[in-house]
Amino acid sequence: MIFARGRLGPACLAFLLLASCAAQQPAAPPSSAAAPSVSVPLPPADESFAPLATDLMAAMVPGAARPRVIPRNTSPLDPFFADLASLETGVRRRVNIVQIGDSHTAGDVMSARLRELLQQRFGSAGRGWMPPGKPYPTVRHAGLTIQETGRWSYEFSLNQRAAGPFSLAGIAAKTGAAGAALALDTNDERGFDEIFVALRPQQNGGRVRISVDGRDLATIDTGHARGPVEIFRRDVPSGSRSLRVTTLDRKPVTLLGWGTERAMRGIVYDSLGVVGASYLTTLRWDEPAAAAELAAREPSLVILVFGTNEGFRNDLDGASYTEALAQRVRAVRAAVPNASVLVVGPPDAARKTEPRCQGLACNWATPANIALVRDIQITNAPKLGYAFWDWWGSMGGVDSMRRWVRANPPLARADHVHFTTLGYSAVAERLFEDLMANYDAWNRSR
């Protein structure tokens, strides 16, 4: 495995999955005032997946990298690869993957394409763990419909004034109304065979009824529950289509997460994202609750996708950020010591040099701290034992966001931060190709 040495420079910045080397990213002139994190609302998902978006990307974006296998010894991803091999040979029934991140994850577009590709190869065991309820009205969850009844409010770990508590999803759905309900309906004709719901135990907490396809499964009294989180899990009739959580009284109830799976051999791919989040945001999580939820998932691979929002902060302190990254990786390892950890670096992104300018004719510059964040993530990979994938390098390196925005059809949105569905699909396909190229190399080396 190859890691970068020292500061970002002309040397090849690569590791197990890095597709190619790219030139050093130029620093944007610092602003006199600290810029806030990028927490713009997620755009609606109004496109459909291309059959293979990477083919279009390669044609439209010069410098976008092709996957290649890096000479390897021992990789942080070897435990994940071993579990995939056991899945293929029938020794294992399931491999769980958990992706946690910012708005690039919250939209469930890039993660949905990765889920689709992995499940096509290894089998589909369901959607997995999700944020609670409907925190972002414009965001879809691939293959699912979420319905909300009654008065629900949502608190986000991004908000310093929010009371929480927060766990793995970084979001809490709260209500104090009787008869308030959240429903998760699958559009997959195969349905689901297992359900799980995470509730926060709290003094004077309310009761909730959990039902599937109109049939009551259990009533949980959150006022009598113990521990940092109450995780209700139950096998249900094969092919079930609707999970519903309903409050029964006017006492407070907090939902921390939920999801579904199928009782078949294959991949389960969880995705949990908060718009505007960073590794610094995760410091506000209730670690015992997050650890309990992650351990319950038993993942073979945890993918951490943060970096854009902290890269837009002019006041970012490198030492504090390094410690936040280390705390999150160590917390993951403590909760699931047998899982591999993959850190996905930030993509190229830009902001206007003149805020009042409108349209593509404006001058855009990459914030200087995007390079700092990427450098910190690369430098700490060997120290913390995680794998690193270079999103910036794989999309073409310097000034690639501008080319993605101006591609026809566009691969990135006019905000120069988020991607179109086609663009996210291309990123997912590139990451999948790199993962599978190295998995196949691992298989050949056995």
Side-chain angles (χ1 to χ4, degrees):
M1 175 161 40
I2 301 175
F3 290 97
R5 296 179 181 274
R7 294 285 303 171
L8 295 178
C12 180
L13 296 177
F15 118 121
L16 172 67
L17 305 177
L18 179 57
S20 72
C21 302
Q24 182 174 2
Q25 183 172 343
S31 170
S32 59
S37 299
V38 177
S39 56
V40 298
L42 284 170
D46 53 4
E47 304 117 331
S48 58
F49 288 133
L52 193 60
T54 42
D55 291 342
L56 287 172
M57 181 184 76
M60 294 186 294
V61 185
R66 297 302 305 174
R68 68 185 174 95
V69 178
I70 304 299
R72 58 186 306 286
N73 292 311
T74 300
S75 159
L77 293 181
D78 281 359
F80 171 56
F81 291 158
D83 286 349
L84 286 181
S86 295
L87 180 66
E88 286 196 297
T89 58
V91 175
R92 290 181 66 98
R93 184 172 69 94
R94 184 173 300 171
V95 166
N96 285 15
I97 299 171
V98 178
Q99 178 175 326
I100 307 169
D102 52 25
S103 58
H104 297 307
T105 297
D108 193 31
V109 180
M110 180 175 74
S111 51
R113 183 61 171 150
L114 268 169
R115 183 184 302 113
E116 179 182 48
L117 292 166
L118 285 162
Q119 291 183 343
Q120 284 175 353
R121 173 160 178 175
F122 297 100
S124 176
R127 171 60 177 79
W129 193 268
M130 296 174 52
K134 200 173 182 179
Y136 303 114
T138 61
V139 175
R140 71 174 185 183
H141 291 286
L144 298 170
T145 301
I146 309 297
Q147 298 180 12
E148 181 182 294
T149 303
R151 298 192 304 273
W152 290 89
S153 62
Y154 295 90
E155 291 190 345
F156 303 86
S157 51
L158 184 71
N159 184 353
Q160 295 291 331
R161 292 181 301 231
F166 303 107
S167 52
L168 203 59
I171 300 171
K174 296 186 173 185
T175 186
L182 293 169
L184 183 160
D185 299 310
T186 179
N187 303 324
D188 191 324
E189 61 183 12
R190 294 169 294 182
F192 52 81
D193 312 307
E194 304 172 29
I195 62 100
F196 39 90
V197 177
L199 295 156
R200 178 69 172 184
Q202 54 191 314
Q203 187 175 7
N204 199 37
R207 294 176 301 128
V208 300
R209 181 173 61 238
I210 299 175
S211 58
V212 168
D213 290 348
R215 182 173 65 90
D216 294 347
L217 297 181
T219 296
I220 297 177
D221 189 337
T222 63
H224 290 165
R226 296 291 180 266
V229 61
E230 174 77 11
I231 302 177
F232 174 83
R233 184 162 190 156
R234 182 71 59 86
D235 293 338
V236 297
S238 180
S240 297
R241 303 294 292 270
S242 179
L243 165 63
R244 190 175 184 90
V245 178
T246 307
T247 62
L248 299 179
D249 48 43
R250 300 176 67 179
K251 296 181 179 181
V253 167
T254 301
L255 180 65
L256 297 176
W258 59 349
T260 64
E261 298 179 3
R262 279 193 289 274
M264 62 180 294
R265 188 170 66 88
I267 297 284
V268 176
Y269 197 112
D270 307 352
S271 63
L272 303 155
V274 177
V275 175
S278 70
Y279 284 110
L280 298 165
T281 308
T282 69
L283 299 179
R284 299 197 66 228
W285 291 1
D286 180 334
E287 285 300 340
E293 291 175 354
L294 189 57
R297 302 305 299 138
E298 299 181 352
S300 297
L301 175 65
V302 177
I303 305 177
L304 301 173
V305 191
F306 297 99
T308 295
N309 296 293
E310 46 266 57
F312 270 73
R313 290 183 54 172
N314 293 337
D315 63 343
L316 182 69
D317 177 71
S320 296
Y321 180 69
T322 300
E323 180 57 27
L325 166 66
Q327 284 190 38
R328 179 49 42 213
V329 173
R330 289 169 183 152
V332 168
R333 292 209 174 282
V336 285
N338 295 323
S340 296
V341 179
L342 171 60
V343 169
V344 172
D348 192 40
R351 61 183 168 206
K352 297 175 187 176
T353 57
E354 174 49 59
R356 295 183 179 180
C357 180
Q358 299 295 323
L360 293 178
C362 302
N363 291 322
W364 296 77
T366 298
N369 282 334
I370 291 284
L372 174 62
V373 165
R374 181 168 168 264
D375 192 12
I376 289 172
Q377 292 182 0
I378 293 172
T379 302
N380 283 276
K383 300 176 186 177
L384 296 173
Y386 59 74
F388 176 83
W389 190 73
D390 189 359
W391 188 346
W392 178 82
S394 288
M395 68 184 286
V398 175
D399 202 30
S400 53
M401 176 55 78
R402 182 182 63 84
R403 301 195 298 274
W404 282 54
V405 169
R406 298 188 180 200
N408 185 21
L411 295 169
R413 298 189 180 273
D415 64 5
H416 287 63
V417 175
H418 299 98
F419 296 74
T420 63
T421 301
L422 182 65
Y424 278 123
S425 186
V427 173
E429 289 164 14
R430 177 53 36 77
L431 176 52
F432 173 77
E433 289 172 355
D434 288 349
L435 278 170
M436 292 302 97
N438 285 275
Y439 170 59
D440 292 340
W442 177 87
N443 265 321
R444 290 192 298 271
S445 70
R446 289 198 293 164

